Amino acid sequence: MGVPDPARGRLAPLAPLLALLLAALTAACSPSPGRPAPPAPGPPAGPAAAAPSADAGTDTDANTDTDTDASPFWVDPRSAAARQVAAWDARGRSGDAQVLRRISEQPMALWAAPRDPGREIRRAAGEARAAGRTLVLTAHHLPYRACGPRAAGGAAHAQAYRTWLDAFAAAIGDTKAVVVLEPDAVVHLVDGCTEEARHEERYRLLSQAVDRLKKQRHTRVYLDAGGPASVPDAGRLARPLLKAGLARADGFAVNVAGFGSVTAARAYGARISERTGGEHFVIDTGRAGDGPPPGEGPTAWCNPPGRSLGPAPTDRTGDPLVDAYLWVKRPGESDGACRGGPPEGAWWPDYALGLARRAR
């Protein structure tokens, strides 16, 4: 028999009142039938959030929430997409403008100007620092970057490229930056595009570019390594990438300007990583929402219809090998004068709107 508690007798008349108060508190803290409980934290969100259109595809890699705070990367308020949104709003096309915000409100890579890279990079770097964000850049100016014996494009010669690259790097300064280095440059060393006589010079220039960019203490460098559509045997890229300076870079980039699914791009990158000592990589997901377009040959990959945006840029990929999803090729910029599109790199609002409408 226990010792009687004198307090119990005093509290007994209050028991019904205490029970009612406890029930009220429990109801207030529980989700109501019409209001779900807050979701548990999950992986970062993808492109923005209008309702999907009826012709949306089925690639489960795509992800379409609007949590831009999940991305550490800088959003350019002067991008072609942002200007298009403003123009459509002014003309009363508010519905289309809202859909296009799926692109304009996401961070995308700034492709440096061929003549004077410094001016635009300094502007972007200043804004990125002020916002506390990381600047994403693409360097694409190697000599003879096109194919064949009369290959053109890029700097006039090796020294001109070194001068250009030095201005590019100096403009970054102490800004936190990610640089995707020379799309297709290594791929064209193994696919027969670049003449054999130019191989050694290209390796030297790429290696020197890595070293110069890494002098900027907050700059991360990723050598382009093509994608599933450009080099079916990913293992062929391992040795050329290492010769181009991969071991001194931060990794490599895959699927740049491509339409490969995130799953395929990740598998492609993993094969290269396995052959390069576990190097990390980034994936261009800008147009990866529906995977590769149907058909074969070069025209299949030039402004293909029916494509959509892929997962939004973020460094929270949940994958130990994948440092980030980036939008390197800006969604809505043309692949070339095919299927009614403007010249390569030109802004094409109708194509951009289609990518955004089909995003999930």
Side-chain angles (χ1 to χ4, degrees):
M1 182 180 226
V3 179
D5 184 357
R8 181 178 298 177
R10 291 194 300 269
L11 293 175
L14 299 176
L17 179 60
L18 291 173
L20 287 172
L21 180 60
L22 179 61
L25 289 172
T26 302
C29 295
S30 301
S32 65
R35 183 177 180 180
S53 65
D55 60 348
T58 59
D59 190 335
T60 56
D61 287 325
N63 188 342
T64 57
D65 293 337
T66 53
D67 184 11
T68 54
D69 288 339
S71 171
F73 306 116
W74 173 70
V75 177
D76 187 355
R78 305 185 194 182
S79 69
R83 295 194 302 271
Q84 191 70 63
V85 166
W88 281 348
D89 269 334
R91 296 206 298 266
R93 291 181 61 177
S94 56
D96 287 343
Q98 181 61 28
V99 172
L100 198 61
R101 286 188 175 91
R102 292 181 169 196
I103 296 175
S104 70
E105 294 179 354
Q106 294 295 341
M108 296 173 277
L110 176 67
W111 291 60
R115 292 186 179 179
D116 177 15
R119 180 178 180 181
E120 188 67 2
I121 292 176
R122 283 190 294 272
R123 188 271 302 179
E127 293 184 12
R129 286 195 304 273
R133 299 285 172 142
T134 299
L135 180 62
V136 182
L137 298 166
T138 305
H140 188 51
H141 196 52
L142 273 174
Y144 314 110
R145 68 187 185 200
C147 296
R150 297 184 179 180
H157 48 75
Q159 187 52 47
Y161 179 73
R162 295 186 188 99
T163 300
W164 181 89
L165 198 281
D166 186 64
F168 180 111
I172 296 172
D174 288 337
T175 306
K176 291 182 180 179
V178 170
V179 178
V180 175
L181 184 57
E182 296 298 339
D184 291 332
V186 176
V187 169
H188 287 338
L189 290 168
V190 302
D191 67 3
C193 175
T194 301
E195 284 187 294
E196 184 73 30
R198 304 193 188 281
H199 282 201
E200 290 306 314
E201 177 186 81
R202 176 160 297 183
Y203 280 123
R204 283 196 302 273
L205 290 176
L206 288 170
S207 184
Q208 291 166 0
V210 170
D211 292 340
R212 176 61 189 90
L213 289 165
K214 290 304 295 179
K215 288 182 180 180
Q216 310 308 127
R217 59 178 181 165
H218 297 308
T219 296
R220 298 176 64 82
V221 181
Y222 293 86
L223 274 162
D224 182 69
S230 56
V231 184
D233 181 5
R236 294 178 62 198
L237 271 297
R239 185 171 293 181
L241 284 167
L242 290 168
K243 190 172 180 179
L246 178 60
R248 301 187 307 284
D250 295 278
F252 56 94
V254 301
N255 206 43
V256 170
F259 295 87
S261 71
V262 176
T263 300
R266 196 276 175 192
Y268 174 88
R271 290 196 295 273
I272 297 174
S273 177
E274 183 180 5
R275 291 162 175 79
T276 55
E279 292 286 349
H280 289 202
F281 55 98
V282 297
I283 302 175
D284 184 353
T285 61
R287 304 184 297 179
D290 290 292
E296 297 181 356
T299 58
W301 292 82
C302 186
N303 302 321
R307 304 301 95 192
S308 69
L309 303 174
T314 181
D315 63 350
R316 291 162 49 193
T317 68
D319 190 314
L321 284 180
V322 182
D323 288 348
Y325 298 149
L326 303 174
W327 286 7
V328 183
K329 169 78 172 183
R330 294 187 166 205
E333 292 186 354
S334 177
D335 294 318
C338 58
R339 293 189 170 95
E344 182 180 3
W347 172 247
W348 189 3
D350 289 342
Y351 195 80
L353 189 61
L355 291 171
R357 277 185 173 148
R358 288 183 287 270
R360 294 176 299 286

